[in-house]
């Protein structure tokens, strides 16, 4: 659907029960599209089962063709329709519609959304591309590329396309076609005209690019320009492949992020522990930015799409952390708790987890909510993307000075760390008590979580623990208790607390 | 209000109902879980379905899914499709794990979905077996919220129907009791409770109850009022247990709420004067609150696309109390008996439609160009982009709209999009 909705003059007939149309509202609400997605659902019901679901499908396909006159028709089955074993491909073929019909096999009991989008785009490309369309001779013209991968409901895809176009323009390269976003079947037909492809999002465009390389010998650039370093690499690779000069593009005066990050104001960012989770492409890119460009320490890295597990494992090894490859958000929650990060970079889910534990968080990847389809220009890619990322990630952190003040005046009644950082007022205890009375009410929530073994703390030690900054308090508590257990001490007193500190300081 | 007593004539001619089938742009019954689980505080809803089902709940529940919700999806995977026996074992394991983790759960609903219905996974049997296993601690029940069988609010109907056999029996010699059927926001429930108390009607119970242990009794002396129009199956199940339905308008607006309360008052033989005295203040407040919006809404033409079965009573409210003109009132399913009084109050020119072929229906909307179209979120923005004002329908299910005190809010829900349209200069 994300591919069909992204494209023009294409219609998707989906064999699906009543209710599956809920997917429409992801596009009309989250992305705020002003048009219905080009999808017709057969919406069969119980009384239709066993007799005429096949003819329902054929009628729907015929009506959709007549009403929307698409240049190509996608047909497929939802998870339920997969079970009733009508054959959308055969049924659609039998209609002999005067446009290409692209059947989709999306095994919904094995695969997930990103895979579905990649597979759909690959099918569309494979069926529609005209293999006889080839690049014209290079003399006297600028290089020509395709941008593959941007689609509907993509995290910042709209603005990334603009940013990459700008980069390419600075390099003297023209864009033949962006696909699937806003491409029509006729555009897909002429993909072969480009000299090479740029895979903006491997999750969606990777398969199609691989096939184009095989079938048309169109090479592909797979470096994703998220972050200053990655953008520079990207520019260098593209320039090399296109045979153009990269100097000017590399020296973009709009790239403010490197200076921002070097300015003394940012020194307090050094070594901040960050936990990163999202789709593999964004998570791996974020790890590089965090490590090389902001000086954070990566304490956790993972993704939810197992198709990219290999890349993720390699990246995690590079940063010396255990890769987390899971689509179970409870597992992510556990991992975040164990890592005790000071900043979480993740999806909408991690945003909620972080909120619950009072940890600052920024969103780097879908799934995202409506606020991450902003009205303003906010790319992730290119130098402007790096500017956006710097602001977005630093914003939720306690500002350096504020952090010091919180530690110095922690016992001051109106300045205590219980009040939380000023810009996280949503998580401040007073508001929270009103909104969610069932939740623990202090900010040091990491410390409040029940531990498996409850070891008594002396009042003195408890008091001392409160002097530890709240964002590491939970970790200190757990470490100390683990240490006390391993030493066979029944309770934690001041001495144990500092023995443990010494122990872990090694 | 006197539709039935017109000098012994045949009942007033009812408008023709347009019946269509084609693509239906509606939610499935699983969506009911989102409000049912808030209402029933010791219940857990385990959907047995696919990733699509899980995704639906996630999208529909929005932010709520992160507040340690009491619903989840047991996702059917490919290996489950291979052999049925596995499925049962896996469910057993999952329920075990769930109930160990959440021991406070008193009712567990195994909710059927399209995939589980199509592969004929017998959740009824599973529920029975597990129920015996957890006897004494947790009741395990089953209903279907699949899209092939239920549309949106019918999920609540199916859930309540599953609860009816669990209600304790009241003997024939017990005093009459009143049952209010249909999940209502707590604040509305409390308002109704106070009114019934003042009227002297009682005992009054609500279905669903907040807790399993508080499930009300039902028997031949039970009378019940439907708070919601979509409870066809629940009505049948209650009637089979001897309870009698009180015919009334649904409690929307000043008139609807008055009529609804009156039906109960008459059943309990409450003095007319007393009834008027008790009801008057709320009724007046409601009328005043509604009057504020009347200027904006009077004479405006409105179309309802099918969604929740609330369309008919809401169209009646908007017509009789705010002077709006219903152009087309679409409903996913029309129960003529439950809606008889509502139907009688709609203007004869109203085009009623049951079921949907969404493209044809949208063609009619474009032709009619109503001042306001009530529709789902998948259609609202596209229609707005075509220059048509819309009111998204789901809000009518999630907001408190019943009773006197909410009548103004209910009118406001319809007035707001129009007011906004007038304000904006961009």
């Amino acid at each position: 659907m994300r591919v069909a909705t992204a494209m023009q003059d294409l219609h998707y007939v989906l064999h699906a029960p009543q209710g599956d149309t809920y997917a429409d509202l992801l596009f009309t609400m989250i992305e705020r599209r002003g048009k219905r997605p080009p999808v017709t659902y057969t919406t069969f019901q119980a009384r239709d089962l066993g007799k005429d679901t096949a003819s329902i499908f054929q009628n729907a396909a015929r009506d959709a063709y007549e009403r929307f006159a698409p240049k190509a028709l996608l047909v497929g089955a939802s998870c339920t329709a997969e079970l009733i074993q009508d054959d959308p491909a055969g049924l659609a073929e039998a209609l002999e519609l005067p446009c290409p019909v692209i059947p989709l096999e999306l095994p919904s009991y094995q695969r997930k959304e990103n895979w579905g989008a990649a597979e759909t785009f690959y099918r569309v490309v494979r069926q529609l591309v005209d293999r006889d369309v080839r690049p014209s001779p290079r003399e006297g013209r600028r290089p020509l590329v395709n941008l593959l991968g941007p689609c509907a409901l993509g995290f910042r895809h709209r603005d990334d396309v603009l940013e990459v176009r700008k980069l390419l323009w600075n390099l003297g390269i023209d864009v033949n076609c962006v696909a699937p976003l806003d491409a029509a079947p006729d555009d897909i037909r002429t993909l072969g005209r480009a000299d090479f492809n740029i895979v903006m999002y491997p999750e969606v465009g990777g398969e199609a690019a691989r096939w184009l390389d095989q079938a048309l010998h169109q090479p592909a650039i797979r470096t994703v320009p998220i972050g200053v370093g990655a953008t520079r690499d990207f520019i260098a690779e593209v320039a090399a492949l296109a045979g153009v000069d990269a100097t000017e593009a590399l020296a973009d005066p709009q790239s403010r992020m490197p200076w921002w990050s070097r300015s003394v104001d940012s020194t307090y960012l050094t070594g901040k522990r960050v936990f990163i989770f999202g789709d593999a492409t964004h998570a791996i890119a974020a790890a590089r930015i965090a490590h090389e460009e902001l000086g954070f320490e990566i304490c956790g890295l993972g993704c939810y799409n197992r198709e990219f597990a290999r890349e993720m494992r390699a990246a995690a090894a590079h940063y010396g952390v255990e890769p987390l490859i899971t689509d179970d958000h409870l597992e992510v929650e556990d991992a975040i708790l164990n890592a005790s990060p000071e900043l979480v970079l993740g999806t909408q889910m991690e945003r909620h987890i972080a909120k619950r534990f009072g940890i600052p968080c920024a969103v780097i990847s879908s799934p995202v909510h409506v606020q991450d389809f902003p009205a303003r220009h906010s790319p992730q890619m290119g130098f402007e993307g790096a500017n956006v990322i710097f602001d977005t990630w630093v914003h939720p952190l306690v500002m350096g000075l504020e952090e010091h003040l919180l530690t110095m005046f922690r016992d001051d009644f109106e300045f205590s760390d219980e009040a939380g950082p000023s810009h996280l007022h949503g998580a401040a205890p007073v508001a929270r008590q009103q909104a969610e009375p069932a939740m623990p009410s202090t900010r040091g929530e990491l410390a409040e979580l029940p531990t498996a073994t409850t070891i008594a703390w002396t009042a003195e030690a408890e008091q001392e623990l409160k002097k530890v900054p709240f964002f590491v308090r939970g970790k200190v508590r757990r470490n100390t208790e683990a240490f006390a257990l391993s030493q066979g001490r029944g309770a934690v007193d001041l001495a144990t607390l500092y023995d443990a500190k010494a122990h872990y300081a090694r | 209000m006197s539709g039935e007593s017109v000098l012994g004539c045949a009942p007033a001619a009812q408008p023709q109902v347009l019946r269509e089938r084609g693509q239906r742009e509606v939610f499935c019954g699983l969506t009911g879980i989102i409000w049912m689980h808030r209402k029933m505080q010791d219940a857990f809803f385990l959907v047995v379905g696919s990733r699509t089902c899980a995704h639906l709940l996630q999208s529909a529940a929005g932010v709520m899914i992160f507040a340690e919700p009491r619903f989840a999806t047991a996702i059917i995977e490919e290996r489950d499709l291979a052999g049925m026996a596995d499925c049962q074992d896996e469910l057993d394991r999952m329920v075990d794990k769930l109930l160990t983790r959440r021991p406070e759960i008193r009712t567990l609903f195994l909710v059927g979905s399209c995939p589980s219905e199509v592969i004929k996974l017998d959740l009824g049997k599973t529920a029975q077996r597990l129920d015996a296993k957890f006897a004494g601690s947790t009741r395990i029940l089953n209903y279907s919220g699949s899209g092939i069988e239920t549309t949106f609010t019918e999920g609540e109907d199916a859930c309540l129907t599953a609860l009816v056999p669990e209600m304790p029996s009241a003997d024939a010699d017990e005093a009459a009791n009143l049952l209010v059927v249909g999940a209502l926001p707590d604040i509305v429930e409390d308002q109704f409770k106070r009114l019934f108390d003042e009227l002297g009607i009682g005992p009054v119970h609500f279905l669903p109850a907040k807790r399993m242990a508080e499930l009300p009794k039902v028997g031949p002396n039970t009378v019940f009022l439907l708070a919601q129009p979509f409870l066809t199956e629940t009505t049948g199940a209650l009637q089979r247990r001897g309870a009698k339905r009180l015919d009334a308008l649904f409690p929307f607006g000043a008139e609807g709420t008055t009529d609804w309360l009156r039906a109960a008052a008459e059943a309990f033989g409450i003095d007319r004067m007393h009834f008027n005295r008790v009801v008057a203040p709320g009724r007046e407040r409601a009328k005043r609150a509604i009057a504020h919006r009347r200027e904006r809404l009077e004479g405006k033409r409105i179309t309802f696309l099918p969604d929740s079965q609330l369309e008919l009573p809401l169209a009646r409210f908007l017509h009789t109390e705010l002077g709006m003109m219903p152009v087309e009132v679409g409903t996913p399913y029309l129960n003529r008996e439950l809606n008889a009084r509502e139907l009688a109050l709609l203007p004869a020119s109203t085009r009623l439609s049951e079921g949907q072929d969404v493209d044809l229906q949208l063609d009619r909307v474009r032709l009619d160009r109503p001042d306001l179209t009530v529709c789902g979120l998948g259609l609202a923005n596209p229609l707005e982009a075509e220059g048509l004002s819309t009111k998204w329908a789901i809000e009518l299910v999630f907001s408190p709209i019943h009773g006197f005190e909410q009548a103004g809010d209910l009118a406001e829900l319809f007035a707001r999009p129009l007011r906004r349209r007038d304000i904006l200069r961009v």
Side-chain angles (χ1 to χ4, degrees):
Chain A
M1 262 195 85
R2 290 171 54 200
V3 171
T5 306
M7 290 183 64
Q8 312 282 332
D9 297 334
L10 184 87
H11 201 84
Y12 188 9
V13 180
L14 183 58
H15 206 16
Q18 164 172 280
D20 280 7
T21 51
Y22 81 89
D24 279 3
L25 68 90
L26 301 177
F27 298 94
T28 58
M29 296 308 291
I30 296 182
E31 217 177 1
R32 289 187 241 239
R33 286 187 174 251
K35 265 183 8 202
R36 293 175 61 208
V39 181
T40 295
Y41 306 81
T42 54
T43 57
F44 55 83
Q45 291 176 273
R47 58 172 180 227
D48 305 323
L49 290 179
K51 44 184 202 331
D52 54 357
T53 52
S55 65
I56 288 179
F57 178 83
Q58 285 194 313
N59 290 338
R62 197 182 297 112
D63 289 352
Y65 179 77
E66 278 167 18
R67 178 174 283 269
F68 301 103
K71 294 276 166 50
L73 196 69
L74 290 169
V75 297
S78 79
C79 53
T80 302
E82 222 179 285
L83 298 170
I84 59 175
Q85 304 192 323
D86 288 334
D87 169 24
L91 289 171
E93 205 171 303
L95 290 175
E96 297 186 335
L97 296 173
C99 75
V101 173
I102 307 167
L104 299 175
E105 293 271 350
L106 304 174
S108 41
Y109 293 93
Q110 291 170 14
R111 303 292 192 153
K112 284 170 241 158
E113 186 188 319
N114 271 326
W115 187 89
E119 173 72 8
T120 303
F121 184 47
Y122 159 70
R123 292 277 160 204
V124 167
V125 167
R126 193 179 159 153
Q127 187 152 344
L128 294 182
V129 158
D130 183 345
R131 296 179 187 226
D132 295 331
V133 175
R134 303 296 301 135
S136 59
R138 264 303 292 278
E139 287 78 43
R141 70 167 175 89
R142 287 153 60 104
L144 203 56
V145 299
N146 298 315
L147 303 184
L148 303 183
C151 70
L153 272 185
F155 176 65
R156 308 295 167 88
H157 287 197
R158 178 196 69 195
D159 300 340
D160 283 348
V161 168
L162 274 178
E163 234 16 67
V164 171
R165 273 180 183 276
K166 206 171 80 188
L167 280 178
L168 295 169
W169 180 257
N170 287 342
L171 283 165
I173 296 174
D174 288 335
V175 174
N176 174 50
C177 173
V178 179
L181 192 63
D182 294 331
D186 284 342
D187 301 322
I188 303 289
R189 210 157 274 134
T190 59
L191 278 181
R193 210 155 54 192
D195 298 302
F196 60 95
N197 291 311
I198 287 173
V199 184
M200 287 179 63
Y201 306 99
E203 270 87 353
V204 181
E207 273 312 302
R210 205 160 301 148
W211 182 81
L212 286 167
D213 196 359
Q214 277 170 12
L216 303 182
H217 310 294
Q218 260 182 337
I221 297 280
R222 290 175 181 275
T223 298
V224 179
I226 300 180
V228 171
T231 300
R232 287 182 180 146
D233 292 352
F234 172 82
I235 291 173
E237 280 177 48
V238 170
L241 193 54
V244 296
D245 180 15
T247 324
E248 202 181 317
L250 283 172
D252 190 332
Q254 300 303 312
S255 177
R256 287 176 283 266
M257 195 265 219
W259 164 244
W260 250 239
S261 187
R262 282 173 192 281
S263 76
V264 291
D265 192 49
S266 299
T267 29
Y268 79 100
L269 300 175
T270 315
K272 281 241 185 259
R273 296 166 56 77
V274 56
F275 186 98
I276 303 171
F277 192 85
D279 69 38
T281 300
H282 284 91
I284 293 171
R288 179 170 174 189
I289 299 170
H291 182 75
E292 294 179 2
E293 299 172 19
L294 290 168
F296 291 151
E297 181 194 333
I298 293 163
C299 65
L301 180 60
C303 68
Y304 55 78
N305 43 345
R306 62 186 153 106
E307 289 85 3
F308 289 78
R310 202 158 37 138
E311 288 87 338
M312 179 49 71
R313 276 196 287 269
H318 180 69
Y319 300 109
V321 291
E322 273 297 305
L324 176 68
I325 295 153
T326 178
D327 56 4
D328 179 349
H329 77 274
L330 292 176
E331 254 182 72
V332 181
E333 184 171 310
D334 287 346
I336 290 178
L337 268 184
N338 284 327
S340 304
E342 293 161 68
L343 175 67
V344 173
L345 301 173
T347 71
Q348 187 67 14
M349 264 65 114
E350 285 71 46
R351 204 171 72 87
H352 285 276
I353 293 170
K355 188 161 112 194
R356 214 134 39 98
F357 298 135
I359 309 171
C361 177
V363 171
I364 58 158
S365 156
S366 49
V368 293
H369 220 320
V370 61
Q371 70 265 36
D372 275 301
F373 286 92
R376 65 178 184 279
H377 183 59
S378 5
Q380 299 285 292
M381 289 185 180
F383 293 124
E384 182 58 23
N387 295 341
V388 168
I389 286 173
F390 181 89
D391 288 346
T392 311
W393 294 10
V394 170
H395 172 83
L397 289 171
V398 182
M399 292 298 165
L401 183 60
E402 190 176 5
E403 184 176 311
H404 285 297
L405 294 176
L406 281 176
T407 321
M408 277 168 68
F409 299 113
R410 86 169 63 81
D411 292 324
D412 187 318
F413 76 103
E414 54 188 3
F415 211 90
S416 80
D417 60 0
E418 307 261 296
S422 56
H423 60 288
L424 288 179
H425 51 83
V430 180
R432 187 186 302 161
Q433 267 171 344
Q434 284 163 354
E436 298 163 63
M439 302 280 287
S441 59
T442 57
R443 254 200 63 85
E445 227 168 87
L446 279 173
E448 308 284 329
L449 289 167
T451 40
T453 54
T454 36
I455 285 190
W457 285 61
T458 64
E460 216 179 3
E462 193 75 56
Q463 205 52 45
E464 198 70 4
L465 181 69
K466 287 222 173 95
K467 298 180 190 165
V468 175
F470 62 84
F471 45 85
V472 287
R473 206 177 292 153
K475 181 143 192 140
V476 171
R477 180 185 285 272
R478 265 175 295 133
N479 281 349
T480 308
E481 287 177 359
F483 174 78
L485 270 183
S486 73
Q487 298 284 309
R489 303 190 194 185
V492 175
D493 54 14
L494 258 186
T496 313
L497 182 63
Y498 283 108
D499 286 348
K501 184 173 185 322
H503 174 80
Y504 287 106
R506 280 181 302 174
Chain B
M1 245 144 284
S2 53
E4 291 142 45
S5 57
V6 188
L7 300 174
C9 293
Q14 287 193 344
Q16 278 290 302
V17 179
L18 183 65
R19 281 199 181 77
E20 279 178 328
R21 57 181 298 190
Q23 178 177 331
R24 295 166 68 111
E25 186 84 18
V26 288
F27 280 123
C28 65
L30 294 181
T31 351
I33 291 171
I34 291 155
W35 65 88
M36 297 300 284
H37 92 283
R38 297 314 311 163
K39 192 71 209 171
M40 298 156 74
Q41 297 174 354
D42 57 357
F44 194 102
F45 294 78
L46 183 65
V47 177
V48 182
S50 64
R51 274 181 221 294
T52 312
C53 308
H55 194 248
L56 160 86
L57 284 175
Q58 216 175 83
S59 320
V63 163
M64 211 194 271
I65 65 163
F66 302 101
E68 184 86 46
R70 277 174 287 102
F71 60 82
T73 312
I75 292 174
I76 300 175
E77 304 228 7
E78 200 176 37
R79 58 201 184 92
D80 301 321
L81 297 176
M84 292 275 131
D86 271 0
C87 252
Q88 298 285 359
D89 291 349
E90 293 232 344
L91 262 178
D92 283 15
R93 242 199 323 277
M94 207 169 282
V95 169
D96 269 345
K97 208 169 127 189
L98 177 72
L99 290 179
T100 320
R101 212 172 90 82
R102 307 288 298 269
E104 75 281 12
I105 299 304
R106 289 288 158 268
T107 320
L108 175 67
F109 288 98
L110 299 179
V111 188
S113 65
C114 301
S116 75
E117 296 296 331
V118 168
I119 63 173
K120 304 255 179 272
L121 181 59
D122 192 343
L123 289 179
K125 273 263 171 56
T126 318
Q128 264 176 24
R129 195 183 61 244
L130 288 169
D131 192 50
K133 183 173 161 190
F134 290 97
S137 59
T138 306
R139 293 291 285 152
I140 297 175
L141 305 174
N142 144 261
Y143 72 90
S144 171
S146 75
I148 54 178
E149 290 159 309
T150 58
T151 304
F152 197 29
T153 47
E154 282 177 344
E156 175 174 335
D157 190 24
C159 174
L160 296 188
T161 307
L163 277 177
V164 171
E166 303 299 310
M167 296 166 75
S169 290
D171 293 333
D173 52 2
E174 276 186 50
N177 68 326
L178 174 68
L179 196 59
V180 176
V181 189
L184 291 168
D186 289 349
I187 182 165
V188 177
E189 207 174 291
D190 293 343
Q191 288 166 4
F192 283 149
K193 242 184 250 167
R194 282 198 297 272
L195 277 170
F196 287 127
D197 275 352
E198 279 182 59
L199 286 168
I201 295 173
V204 181
H205 298 284
F206 291 80
L207 182 70
K210 283 201 185 75
R211 310 193 165 276
M212 191 63 178
E214 294 161 15
L215 262 188
K217 284 184 177 180
V218 62
N221 290 329
T222 303
V223 292
F224 65 95
L225 271 176
L226 292 182
Q228 303 280 21
F230 44 73
L231 299 171
T232 299
E233 298 297 324
T234 312
T235 299
L238 286 168
Q239 284 167 340
R240 282 192 291 281
R241 292 201 57 181
K244 279 180 246 357
R245 181 178 74 87
L246 301 177
D247 194 29
L249 291 174
F250 290 97
F252 301 117
E255 301 306 333
T257 308
T258 306
D259 191 64
W260 190 76
L261 292 169
R262 185 185 294 133
E266 278 168 8
F268 279 77
I270 305 298
D271 173 65
R272 197 63 184 243
M273 295 286 286
H274 178 62
F275 175 82
N276 287 339
R277 211 164 33 242
V278 170
V279 167
R283 183 185 159 100
E284 285 313 309
R285 270 199 303 279
K287 283 190 162 167
R288 263 204 313 281
I290 292 168
H292 294 312
R293 314 281 169 244
R294 189 168 177 117
E295 190 189 348
R296 178 88 45 187
L297 292 175
E298 189 163 21
K300 293 279 193 290
R301 298 160 66 247
I302 187 166
T303 282
F304 283 84
L305 301 193
D307 191 58
S308 61
Q309 297 185 47
L310 288 167
E311 296 84 4
L312 235 62
L314 291 179
R316 178 268 302 163
F317 160 68
L318 293 171
H319 175 62
T320 59
E321 302 192 34
L322 284 150
M324 293 186 84
M325 285 308 294
V327 180
E328 172 165 342
V329 179
T331 174
Y333 172 70
L334 174 63
N335 185 325
R336 282 187 175 278
E337 196 192 330
L338 301 188
N339 284 293
R341 291 166 77 96
E342 303 284 351
L343 280 168
L345 291 175
L346 284 177
S349 62
T350 310
R351 187 193 310 132
L352 288 177
S353 66
E354 183 182 14
Q356 187 178 35
D357 183 322
V358 71
D359 286 314
L360 297 181
Q361 195 162 35
L362 289 176
D363 287 347
R364 291 200 297 275
V365 169
R366 290 180 187 118
L367 210 64
D368 293 336
R369 292 203 73 82
D371 297 296
L372 193 62
T373 305
V374 183
C375 63
L377 285 173
L379 299 173
N381 267 338
L383 285 176
E384 290 279 349
E386 291 181 30
L388 289 152
S389 281
T390 61
K391 161 80 214 95
W392 43 288
I394 309 170
E395 205 176 3
L396 300 165
V397 176
F398 289 159
S399 314
I401 58 170
H402 296 73
F404 291 134
E405 314 304 340
Q406 281 66 238
D409 303 342
L410 179 56
E412 166 65 11
L413 286 179
F414 293 93
R416 195 182 299 143
L418 295 177
R419 193 168 71 237
R420 184 164 179 77
R421 188 156 208 121
D422 293 346
I423 292 171
L424 292 186
R425 291 288 174 269
V426 291

